[in-house]
């Protein structure tokens, strides 16, 4: 290939990303689940867990459109032209954009420099125009948007995520898109969805449903609003210092006091032989914001109503949204063999 960089599914920062837990998850599935053909990853996030099961038929889902688009890029069975992607990315990287657009007017000199914002806005608009003119197909559109989102993430001057930007810092890194290393031989039955999980679940049939809900009150649509805004490209009005769009429709019940009700409803709706749930043990160990929304006794009660439950544990890095110093944080897998 030319001098373009490539990017892989885990080359981004994402809260609660399970990339490092894949050996543990795969081990539990291979040791305790039989005859698995279809795996549904219904809080898919980056798609890291699905990527460990690419030799299976995969169903992904996430409430955020930005994740849906990336999941399409990585897992859609639609064929794509690598030459087309490479040539467009080369031309985007070489482009100098002088004219202002939605991105530079909305986010200029916040998370990104004004120049980089002009470039992000230009690229995103160009992707949409090419798609509307049918010059690129849906998978190629998804690959280009994913490349753009990953490149933005590499240079964003955030305080961790997009809740706030770092004022007065030098914009030392500049936008450089890489080519996503996406498979050309995904399973032809793979499907990707962008729905609230409780609405989608009754329509899904899988051998194993993997669930990785948010753990605490931190809404993903707040932490990733800039990426979501660019992925959707509806150019909404934004408010506040962090320039957030209206995210009412993207709020998750799993980050609220209704998490237990939502979880109980979800489990009754699932059609699968196995349910595998990731949930760490932060129930009451962090600060208020990092405390888990589902209590262990509720998880066990709800899963026990659905089948036979086993719990597996592996030590994993602390997951806090504040400054509390937590020891003994463990990532657990609850396996329910449905009856
Ligand atoms: C812990 S993260 C998943 C991380 C993922 N396993 C990974 O490795 O990248 C939880 C995900 O659930 C999504 N989510 C939250 N509430 C949802 C809902 N009601 N329906 C669908 N997805 C939801 C969030 O957008 C977020 O991406």
């Amino acid at each position: 290939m030319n001098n373009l960089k490539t990017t892989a599914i885990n080359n981004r920062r994402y809260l609660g990303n399970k990339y490092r837990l894949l050996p543990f998850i795969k081990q539990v599935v291979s040791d305790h689940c039989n005859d698995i053909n279809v795996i549904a990853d219904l809080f898919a996030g980056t798609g890291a867990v699905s990527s460990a099961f690419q030799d299976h038929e995969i169903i992904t889902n996430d409430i955020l459109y930005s994740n849906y688009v990336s999941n399409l890029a990585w897992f859609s069975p639609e064929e794509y032209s690598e030459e087309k992607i490479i040539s467009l990315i080369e031309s985007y990287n070489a482009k100098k954009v002088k004219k202002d657009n939605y991105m530079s007017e909305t986010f200029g000199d916040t998370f990104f420099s004004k120049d980089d914002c002009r470039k992000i806005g230009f690229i995103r608009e160009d992707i949409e125009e090419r798609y509307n003119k049918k010059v690129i197909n849906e998978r190629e559109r998804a690959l280009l948007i994913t490349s753009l989102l990953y490149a933005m993430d590499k240079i964003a001057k955030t305080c961790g995520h997009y809740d706030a930007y770092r004022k007065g810092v030098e914009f030392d890194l500049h936008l450089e898109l890489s080519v996503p290393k996406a498979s050309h031989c995904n399973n032809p039955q793979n499907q990707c969805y962008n729905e609230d999980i409780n609405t989608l679940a009754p329509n899904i049939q899988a051998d194993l449903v993997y669930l990785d809900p948010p753990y605490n009150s931190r809404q993903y649509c707040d932490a990733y609003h800039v990426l979501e805004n660019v992925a959707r490209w509806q150019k909404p009005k934004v408010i506040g210092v962090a320039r957030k769009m209206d995210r009412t429709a993207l709020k998750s019940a799993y980050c609220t006091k209704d998490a237990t009700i939502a979880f109980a409803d979800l489990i009754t709706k699932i059609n699968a032989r196995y349910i595998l749930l990731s949930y760490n043990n932060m129930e009451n160990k962090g600060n208020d914001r990092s405390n888990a929304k589902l209590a262990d006794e509720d998880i066990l009660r709800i899963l026990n109503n659905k089948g036979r439950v086993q719990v597996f544990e592996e030590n994993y890095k602390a997951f806090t949204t504040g400054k509390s110093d937590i020891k003994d944080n463990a990532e657990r897998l609850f396996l329910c063999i449905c009856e």
Side-chain angles (χ1 to χ4, degrees):
M1 203 195 276
N2 41 58
N3 56 3
L4 280 182
K5 291 184 186 141
T6 58
T7 195
I9 195 161
N10 60 318
N11 290 154
R12 65 171 292 196
R13 298 168 302 152
Y14 200 71
L15 288 166
N17 176 352
K18 294 299 174 295
Y19 193 73
R20 287 203 281 163
L21 278 183
L22 294 183
F24 174 45
I25 295 173
K26 285 185 82 167
Q27 193 68 49
V28 169
V29 172
S30 77
D31 290 353
H32 300 277
C33 306
N34 299 319
D35 301 326
I36 303 293
N37 295 313
V38 185
I39 297 200
D41 181 7
L42 299 185
F43 288 102
T46 61
V49 174
S50 290
S51 75
F53 294 98
Q54 259 179 295
D55 48 344
H56 292 68
E57 181 183 328
I58 297 165
I59 302 172
T60 67
N61 176 55
D62 201 280
I63 200 166
L64 292 188
Y65 183 78
S66 43
N67 289 331
Y68 163 72
V69 164
S70 295
N71 290 166
L72 265 188
W74 301 117
F75 307 120
S76 162
E78 189 174 17
E79 196 32 81
Y80 72 94
S81 156
E82 203 159 317
E83 291 80 57
K84 217 192 273 180
I85 299 293
I86 289 172
S87 124
L88 280 170
I89 288 183
E90 268 178 337
S91 78
Y92 290 153
N93 281 343
K95 186 89 192 164
K96 300 262 179 285
V97 184
K98 294 268 174 281
K99 231 171 108 191
D100 273 319
N101 53 42
Y102 172 78
M103 266 314 276
S104 59
E105 280 156 9
T106 312
F107 293 104
D109 292 334
T110 60
F111 300 96
F112 318 93
S113 71
K114 199 153 182 122
D115 265 356
D116 281 314
C117 280
R118 285 194 194 104
K119 197 157 167 169
I120 294 165
F122 169 85
I123 294 171
R124 185 63 190 87
E125 189 70 32
D126 189 73
I127 296 170
E128 218 50 32
E129 279 173 15
R130 285 175 199 270
Y131 178 66
N132 289 336
K133 288 185 197 146
K134 301 195 178 0
V135 178
I136 54 175
N137 67 23
E138 194 182 19
R139 178 107 186 265
E140 289 159 349
R141 172 182 181 268
L143 283 158
L144 292 168
I145 296 173
T146 299
S147 170
L148 178 61
L149 299 180
Y150 275 48
M152 288 168 62
D153 194 50
K154 288 260 174 310
I155 62 166
K157 296 293 180 194
T158 62
C159 300
H161 298 274
Y162 296 86
D163 289 316
Y165 59 87
R166 284 158 50 204
K167 292 203 179 88
V169 291
E170 191 197 337
F171 293 107
D172 50 345
L173 300 171
H174 298 290
L175 194 76
E176 185 186 356
L177 274 63
S178 311
V179 179
K181 290 295 288 171
S183 171
H184 284 279
C185 44
N186 283 332
N187 189 302
Q189 310 300 329
N190 282 359
Q191 299 159 54
C192 302
Y193 293 94
N194 177 213
E195 288 185 37
D196 186 294
I197 192 168
N198 287 55
T199 312
L200 178 71
N203 306 321
I204 297 295
Q205 183 79 53
D207 297 304
L208 185 148
V209 167
Y210 172 70
L211 298 175
D212 186 17
Y215 298 117
N216 53 41
S217 60
R218 189 164 191 185
Q219 291 279 355
Y220 279 80
C221 58
D222 295 345
Y224 299 104
H225 67 98
V226 182
L227 301 181
E228 186 69 4
N229 189 336
V230 169
R232 289 178 174 266
W233 206 234
Q234 289 162 343
K235 304 173 196 162
K237 284 207 170 67
V238 296
I239 52 160
V241 183
R243 319 278 209 267
K244 291 182 181 170
M245 61 184 180
D246 178 13
R247 302 164 318 289
T248 317
L250 303 175
K251 298 278 180 191
S252 174
Y254 293 86
C255 301
T256 71
K257 59 177 176 24
D258 297 330
T260 312
I261 298 170
F263 183 67
D265 174 60
L266 172 64
I267 297 301
T268 60
K269 287 174 170 166
I270 287 179
N271 308 303
R273 290 189 292 117
Y274 299 95
I275 297 172
L276 187 64
L277 168 76
S278 278
Y279 215 69
N280 72 19
N281 64 349
M282 293 294 289
E283 200 173 330
N284 272 311
K285 292 187 184 167
N287 54 34
D288 236 19
R289 208 165 156 222
S290 52
N291 282 344
K293 288 287 163 198
L294 296 174
D296 280 5
E297 60 190 41
D298 288 326
I299 294 176
L300 289 170
R301 173 179 54 79
I302 292 164
L303 290 180
N304 274 321
N305 276 337
K306 185 85 173 178
R308 197 156 50 80
V309 182
Q310 282 172 281
V311 184
F312 305 89
E313 193 167 297
E314 158 157 302
N315 285 331
Y316 191 58
K317 81 173 170 32
F319 181 101
T320 68
T321 57
K323 282 211 167 102
S324 38
D325 180 22
I326 315 297
K327 299 269 185 292
D328 302 316
N329 178 38
E331 200 52 62
R332 286 99 39 92
L333 286 171
F334 295 74
L335 177 66
C336 175
I337 304 170
C338 304
E339 281 158 1

